[in-house]
Amino acid sequence: ELLLGWPEEAMPTLSALAPVAPEDREKATQALALVREKGSFEGQLTLVGPDGRRMPAHVTGVRAEIGGKPYVVGMAIDISRRLAAEEALRVSERNYRAIFNSTSDGLAIHDETGRILDVNDRFLALFNADREMVQSRSIEDMSAGVPPYTEVDAAAHLRRALVEGPQVFEWLSRRADGTTFYTEVALHAGKVGDENRIIASVRDISRRRAAERSVAEWKRRYDLLT
């Protein structure tokens, strides 16, 4: 009565399907049949009031005998707020994912142990890997694995990001096919809820390093000539 606005005097005259939205009445009929056959039902239905007010509800029904007569005892819980919260979460996730994927740098979110929790699409492209593969790998697997590009070295960078603040350094990374390439990594630490998280921004600098080597070689040749 309170949730849907049905007047008290109308309640004894209502059929079981009267408070059910038209699009859910077939489902409600099947639910009643299930209660008669199996003894119970649990699911979601949209209920309506006499003024057309709609309420999504989690509905349960059980078969019972009262005074020797068979009855269906039903309960409906308003889940409007829960559904609204779930939708808001979905929208937030879509917005987060859109922002996460809008950057030209590869992004990876780590916990404080270095475990990869999430990556953006650019990160997957840089490492020529899929999401499942990346999340099952350690930092060692995605690094050259020789000093100063080992898991121990990476852990030291992560600790400094947590304690000292942002860190920027060059790193020799390893793609899924085993080839290596130089990257510039920027680490920024923060909290998500009560958990420490570190965002790694990764940029391929192979071309920049090749250009620097070329300039250095030309300078060496020039010095020899002069």
Side-chain angles (χ1 to χ4, degrees), residues 89-103 107-109 117-124 131 135:
L89 185 61
R90 283 192 290 272
V91 170
S92 177
E93 170 66 17
R94 287 196 298 270
N95 291 340
Y96 154 77
R97 187 59 56 186
I99 295 170
F100 200 42
N101 285 320
S102 65
T103 177
L107 296 179
I109 299 178
L117 304 176
D118 197 7
V119 296
N120 70 352
D121 292 344
R122 178 58 182 158
F123 188 95
L124 297 177
R131 196 172 305 278
Q135 291 180 326

Side-chain angles (χ1 to χ4, degrees), residues 17-154:
L17 297 181
V20 179
E23 69 271 17
D24 277 355
R25 284 179 183 169
E26 182 177 351
K27 183 178 178 181
T29 299
Q30 294 170 352
L32 288 169
L34 190 63
V35 172
R36 288 194 295 270
E37 296 168 11
K38 304 292 185 180
S40 65
F41 165 80
E42 183 174 359
Q44 184 176 321
L45 295 172
T46 299
L47 305 182
V48 293
D51 59 357
R53 184 188 317 171
R54 296 168 65 87
M55 182 187 84
H58 181 79
V59 177
T60 58
V62 294
R63 186 177 61 212
E65 283 197 7
I66 302 174
K69 294 182 178 181
Y71 286 87
V72 174
V73 180
M75 179 177 69
I77 300 173
D78 183 359
I79 57 172
S80 302
R81 290 185 179 180
R82 191 192 81 190
L83 294 180
E86 290 173 353
E87 178 58 23
L89 185 61
R90 283 192 290 272
V91 170
S92 177
E93 170 66 17
R94 287 196 298 270
N95 291 340
Y96 154 77
R97 187 59 56 186
I99 295 170
F100 200 42
N101 285 320
S102 65
T103 177
S104 59
D105 290 344
L107 296 179
I109 299 178
H110 300 262
D111 66 13
E112 56 189 315
T113 70
R115 184 168 64 94
I116 297 175
L117 304 176
D118 197 7
V119 296
N120 70 352
D121 292 344
R122 178 58 182 158
F123 188 95
L124 297 177
L126 280 175
F127 286 85
N128 193 26
D130 59 42
R131 196 172 305 278
E132 184 177 351
M133 180 187 299
V134 167
Q135 291 180 326
S136 67
R137 291 189 167 202
S138 66
I139 293 179
E140 181 81 10
D141 297 328
M142 306 184 72
S143 304
V146 295
Y149 310 113
T150 67
E151 192 162 16
V152 173
D153 298 306

